[in-house]
Amino acid sequence: MKSTKVKSTTIKNAMILAAGRGTRLRPLTDTMPKPLVAINGRCLLDRILDRLAMYGIETVVLNLHYRGDMIADHLAHRSRPAWKTIREKTLLETGGGIKNALPHLGGDPFFVINGDILWKEGPESCLTHLAQHWDGRRMDCLLLLQPAAQAIGYDGPGDFFLDQNGIPRRRQEREVAPYVFAGIQILHPRLFKDSPSEPFSVNLLLDRAIASGRLRGTTHLGSWYHVGTPQSLAETTAILGEEKHTPFPG
């Protein structure tokens, strides 16, 4: 189920999580960071940046750690959207990495996108779809969820249930949930109030938001591809075939 639309919020800034090692995609990621893995000649990172540019994002912040120099060198050819990198000497995990970037993301809600995901749009951009469902009066975090049965290359037990009001519930042990987190979300900086100073997962803050009733979810209306292993990467490449991604002229 989808949450009810409110007046669309314009999101100006975004963060791409690009520091991870991508160990499940070895041996390919022994020599490159996962965001630079290419499908049909266009790497995952450029596909994400193209979508952010088309949406109209002003500034993108990327956290770098594993083979960060390769990502920084790759970014040098891009001017749109404007980008900034933050080096992590030690991995801060997802929550710590976002918290570390907050001074560069402003005081308004912002997108956070995993740097290793691949999706196709539905009737509208999924970023526009998320922004249309953001309501800062009721939420501190809004997740994009993909129906697990339609998540190509994914065979896990799912992540969330979603009620008719767009309120997610985490899957419990031995449950199979109908939705998987699609790696795209809107967060408000207030979510990080009183968060740990040491590295931590953003899931800690999502659980707090669930407990306080400040987490919502909405479903992706297009297709979504899980490229976490060499096998799922090969499956995704085969499904997409010769389909070309139109680059944003940036």
Side-chain angles (χ1 to χ4, degrees):
M1 299 292 292
K2 303 187 292 184
S3 56
T4 303
K5 287 185 180 182
V6 296
K7 184 178 179 180
S8 183
T9 299
T10 299
I11 308 295
K12 296 181 179 180
N13 299 318
M15 180 171 186
I16 297 176
L17 298 174
R21 295 182 179 274
T23 53
R24 291 179 300 165
L25 202 55
R26 286 176 172 168
L28 192 58
T29 51
D30 286 338
T31 56
M32 72 171 66
K34 191 174 177 183
L36 296 188
V37 171
I39 295 177
N40 291 340
R42 192 76 171 164
C43 75
L44 297 172
L45 179 58
D46 275 330
R47 289 170 178 265
I48 295 169
L49 289 168
D50 290 344
R51 297 277 171 72
L52 289 169
M54 285 186 279
Y55 174 84
I57 285 293
E58 295 179 1
T59 303
V60 179
V61 179
L62 302 93
N63 64 329
L64 305 182
H65 178 73
Y66 177 67
R67 297 194 177 272
D69 288 342
M70 292 182 69
I71 294 177
D73 290 345
H74 182 84
L75 287 169
H77 78 280
R78 293 201 68 116
S79 60
R80 298 177 64 188
W83 53 268
K84 177 180 180 59
T85 60
I86 299 177
R87 305 288 181 129
E88 295 181 6
K89 292 182 179 180
T90 58
L91 277 173
L92 299 176
E93 301 187 37
T94 52
I98 300 168
K99 181 177 180 177
N100 189 47
L102 288 179
H104 307 285
L105 291 165
D108 296 321
F110 53 91
F111 290 116
V112 176
I113 303 179
N114 292 358
D116 58 0
I117 62 171
L118 175 65
W119 76 93
K120 288 176 64 177
E121 305 290 18
E124 62 186 353
S125 157
C126 74
L127 301 177
T128 299
H129 179 72
L130 265 180
Q132 288 175 339
H133 287 81
W134 174 260
D135 183 355
R137 299 167 300 176
R138 300 186 301 121
M139 58 188 74
D140 297 327
C141 177
L142 175 63
L143 305 178
L144 186 71
L145 302 176
Q146 175 73 14
Q150 301 168 27
I152 298 168
Y154 178 80
D155 60 359
D159 298 317
F160 290 98
F161 295 84
L162 191 66
D163 73 12
Q164 62 184 359
N165 297 311
I167 299 176
R169 176 178 72 80
R170 282 197 188 276
R171 177 186 65 84
Q172 301 300 310
E173 188 177 1
R174 297 193 180 124
E175 285 188 314
V176 176
Y179 295 99
V180 59
F181 172 50
I184 306 175
Q185 57 193 317
I186 296 176
L187 303 182
H188 194 282
R190 62 176 168 255
L191 182 69
F192 292 82
K193 182 180 179 181
D194 299 324
S195 58
S197 56
E198 67 275 6
F200 68 97
S201 169
V202 74
N203 282 316
L204 172 67
L205 305 186
L206 300 190
D207 287 340
R208 288 185 187 177
I210 290 173
S212 63
R214 301 284 296 178
L215 180 70
R216 295 292 188 275
T218 186
T219 55
H220 179 41
L221 303 179
S223 55
W224 184 85
Y225 303 85
H226 183 253
V227 291
T229 65
Q231 293 75 24
S232 59
L233 174 62
E235 179 182 1
T236 296
T237 302
I239 290 171
L240 292 178
E242 297 302 317
E243 180 181 271
K244 298 299 182 183
H245 171 93
T246 302
F248 185 86

